[in-house]
Amino acid sequence: MSFDYDLVIIGAGVGGHGAALHAVKCGLRTAIIEAGDMGGTCVNRGCIPSKALLAASGRVRELQDQHHLAAMGIQVGQIGVDAGAIASHASNLVDKIRGDLTNSLKRLGVDTIRGWGKVAGPQKVTVKTDEGDRTLSAENIIISTGSIPFVPPGIEVDGKTVYTSDDAIKLNSVPDWIAIVGSGYIGLEFSDIYSALGSEITMIEALDNLMPGFDPEIAKIAERVLIKPRDIETHSGTLAKKVTPGYPVKIELADAKTKETIETLEVDACLIATGRIPYTKDIGLENVGIQTDRRGFIAVNDKMQVVLDNKPVPNLWAIGDATGRMMLAHAASAQGIVAIENICGREKVVDYNSIPAAAFTHPEISYVGLTEPSAQELGKNAGFEVASVKTYFKGNSKALAEGETDGMAKVIYRQDTGELLGVHIIGIHASDLIQEAANAIAERKPVQELAFNVHTHPTLSEVLDEAYKRAKVAV
Ligand SMILES: Cc1cc2nc3c(=O)[nH]c(=O)nc-3n(C[C@H](O)[C@H](O)[C@H](O)COP(=O)(O)OP(=O)(O)OC[C@H]3O[C@@H](n4cnc5c(N)ncnc54)[C@H](O)[C@@H]3O)c2cc1C
């Protein structure tokens, strides 16, 4: 049977784009369907604009730290901040990267079809385009429709005074007082941006501890360096029960356990950063008998095949945020590559343990693998001892030279074999430093072997070198 395409991808975010590039490399005739902005969340509303805002606001923070600069013999005068120009820095970058991504698909011969794509049946896709409906046959279909911000019930978003990251990245204003609901990496990155630009912040977290996704020891240091010294007030174990937009924004705070109202805040703006939900409605899953889970995620196995009753559905794949497995840009494109490898008959699975993650705050936080509590639990169940070793940025020559000594690296490993289980870093350039640990986990290198790798002196990478050398393994 002949098909219009070897592969049709629904959704041109980083997941779909990564899959398309690899598909072309493997000789597959590929089409990609996009209903919104090419590049999806990461390029238009996520990684790229947020990192541009963080880069600019980070400079402002640095220049305002007179004490730090004076210690290096530098005096600066008045610092001027033009929020509109910072916003343009982000939007110009978005335009450039979106253009590059779109052109790369064209250059490689991927057909881009603009419109709403749907799975119409096995190996069949329909697209609602401005010119009418099109039906395509495809040997394989990849769903990479991504995710959208989750807004809890009781919260009304108007996009002006109460908004999600979709609007926050536009930096339409720098509010005097902003409440940030959620202390995950998105809430934390925006608290870094807003606090550098002069906002007073109230952070509201429903769970008992702030930054619940991080290793507890890292979260504690993060609280000490990213929250306490800044104009940030925190409420953990607290629910933003009702949020009403307006001037002022009214936020009814309740005890997260009893749900009883504690107080009402009146602030200038409120950012809702309470996670993301899959964008999987109305994409024709019912036409192939697939049901998503309660939250809307598409169930997949580690080969990225869509599964139904634990069995793979032939020729149907899903990747990226739509699957809910590590909702990160590089995870989405790694999943895309794995899907293509399997489509081409080369068995491959995603190794989630070796996929790093980072929050681009000042200083940064990064990790790969398990947190210490999860590693301990794994060790208890599997019958091995877990050990950890910590090193500090204040003992690192490069960090001292930079005057950036807040930070720690923690390496968690199996005491018996030295296998790396997790690495967590908070400190300057932590997002770059984590890659070496991620590669080591991917290559299953034990700490006692890593200790022989030679690191450049003086560099921040010696923080990890020292940890590997200090790790004590039983073998
Ligand atoms: C503020 C913020 C900051 C972030 N920072 C980082 C970061 O620093 N690092 C990182 O790794 N990750 C970051 N992320 C997460 C990252 O953006 C996502 O994990 C990533 O974009 C997921 O890629 P995806 O391809 O799965 O989905 P998406 O990027 O969401 O793309 C899906 C695409 O599919 C399209 N689509 C959906 N349905 C259809 C349909 N039926 N027909 C046609 N098209 C359709 C959508 O329009 C969209 O363009 C951030 C996210 C946010 C919100």
Side-chain angles (χ1 to χ4, degrees):
M1 185 176 169
S2 79
F3 295 93
D4 295 329
Y5 291 99
D6 296 325
L7 175 69
V8 168
I9 302 168
I10 307 178
V14 278
H17 179 248
L21 297 194
H22 197 60
V24 171
K25 198 170 160 194
C26 297
L28 303 182
R29 286 173 306 129
T30 304
I32 194 162
I33 304 168
E34 175 55 57
D37 296 323
M38 294 296 291
T41 307
C42 172
V43 173
N44 299 286
R45 303 171 292 279
C47 331
I48 300 301
S50 63
K51 263 77 269 180
L53 296 180
L54 279 157
S57 57
R59 294 276 158 81
V60 174
R61 186 185 297 288
E62 243 173 81
L63 290 169
Q64 282 173 343
D65 192 349
Q66 310 260 334
H67 180 69
H68 179 215
L69 291 172
M72 292 185 176
I74 303 166
Q75 286 102 39
V76 284
Q78 186 81 22
I79 317 287
V81 174
D82 177 346
I86 293 181
S88 300
H89 165 58
S91 64
N92 292 340
L93 183 67
V94 166
D95 291 347
K96 175 178 171 12
I97 295 195
R98 192 201 299 121
D100 290 351
L101 178 140
T102 310
N103 291 339
S104 71
L105 291 170
K106 203 186 282 170
R107 204 174 47 245
L108 291 170
V110 175
D111 283 348
T112 299
I113 303 167
R114 303 307 306 265
W116 185 259
K118 264 181 155 181
V119 179
Q123 300 179 299
K124 203 157 79 177
V125 170
T126 53
V127 196
K128 205 177 243 334
T129 72
D130 286 345
E131 291 80 42
D133 291 358
R134 281 181 69 179
T135 302
L136 309 169
S137 62
E139 187 164 6
N140 283 282
I141 299 168
I142 294 183
I143 300 169
S144 58
T145 51
S147 66
I148 51 173
F150 168 63
V151 178
I155 296 179
E156 194 189 323
V157 166
D158 68 347
K160 291 190 187 77
T161 58
V162 180
Y163 44 80
T164 65
S165 57
D166 282 359
D167 285 301
I169 50 99
K170 296 178 193 154
L171 198 70
N172 285 331
S173 69
V174 178
D176 288 340
W177 185 7
I178 182 166
I180 299 180
V181 185
S183 68
Y185 82 94
I186 293 179
L188 209 57
E189 287 187 350
F190 276 103
S191 81
D192 205 73
I193 294 167
Y194 284 121
S195 62
L197 298 181
S199 301
E200 190 182 327
I201 297 169
T202 297
M203 191 173 254
I204 302 157
E205 169 59 55
L207 297 176
D208 286 340
N209 296 314
L210 293 175
M211 299 166 268
F214 296 131
D215 181 271
E217 258 181 302
I218 295 285
K220 217 184 261 172
I221 299 177
E223 195 168 344
R224 184 166 60 69
V225 299
L226 296 175
I227 308 271
K228 292 254 161 73
R230 301 179 180 174
D231 210 350
I232 305 175
E233 180 201 22
T234 60
H235 294 266
S236 50
T238 306
L239 216 54
K241 191 167 150 189
K242 190 158 186 253
V243 179
T244 314
Y247 304 95
V249 174
K250 293 205 169 103
I251 306 178
E252 202 177 307
L253 295 181
D255 182 292
K257 289 195 186 81
T258 64
K259 310 281 185 288
E260 265 168 40
T261 301
I262 310 166
E263 62 174 309
T264 300
L265 293 180
E266 292 191 349
V267 295
D268 300 309
C270 179
L271 167 65
I272 308 300
T274 42
R276 297 181 62 84
I277 47 170
Y279 196 28
T280 51
K281 277 203 187 114
D282 198 27
I283 57 167
L285 292 176
E286 66 287 357
N287 296 328
V288 277
I290 306 290
Q291 271 189 344
T292 60
D293 75 4
R294 190 176 44 82
R295 294 165 304 165
F297 290 114
I298 301 171
V300 286
N301 58 22
D302 284 351
K303 289 160 104 180
M304 306 321 300
Q305 291 168 299
V306 173
V307 293
L308 178 64
D309 302 329
N310 290 323
K311 285 196 212 79
V313 177
N315 311 99
L316 189 62
W317 312 76
I319 59 170
D321 283 8
T323 68
R325 307 282 309 269
M326 272 197 129
M327 295 168 78
L328 292 169
H330 46 283
S333 68
Q335 290 172 327
I337 291 169
V338 163
I340 300 299
E341 284 295 295
N342 287 299
I343 287 172
C344 295
R346 296 181 289 270
E347 200 163 307
K348 205 162 177 65
V349 293
V350 180
D351 176 17
Y352 290 99
N353 258 342
S354 68
I355 298 182
F360 295 79
T361 43
H362 296 83
E364 296 177 339
I365 304 172
S366 62
Y367 64 87
V368 60
L370 302 175
T371 60
E372 191 152 11
S374 320
Q376 291 290 0
E377 197 177 317
L378 178 73
K380 209 158 91 194
N381 295 337
F384 59 78
E385 291 293 320
V386 170
S388 70
V389 59
K390 287 176 259 183
T391 50
Y392 294 89
F393 281 61
K394 64 178 180 231
N396 177 278
S397 314
K398 181 76 185 298
L400 284 160
E402 297 279 346
E404 301 277 358
T405 51
D406 277 327
M408 176 185 91
K410 172 151 93 165
V411 171
I412 304 160
Y413 59 100
R414 268 180 80 141
Q415 177 91 73
D416 54 352
T417 62
E419 183 193 340
L420 275 192
L421 299 172
V423 175
H424 303 262
I425 307 174
I426 177 166
I428 178 177
H429 296 307
S431 68
D432 294 306
L433 293 175
I434 202 66
Q435 196 57 48
E436 134 167 29
N439 295 351
I441 291 187
E443 290 159 16
R444 306 284 184 271
K445 289 265 170 65
V447 270
Q448 64 275 25
E449 222 176 278
L450 294 167
F452 287 111
N453 289 344
V454 181
H455 291 71
T456 319
H457 176 73
T459 60
L460 298 169
S461 72
E462 289 170 296
V463 167
L464 278 182
D465 185 39
E466 194 192 336
Y468 296 149
K469 287 190 164 63
R470 283 186 25 208
K472 290 196 183 79
V473 181
V475 286

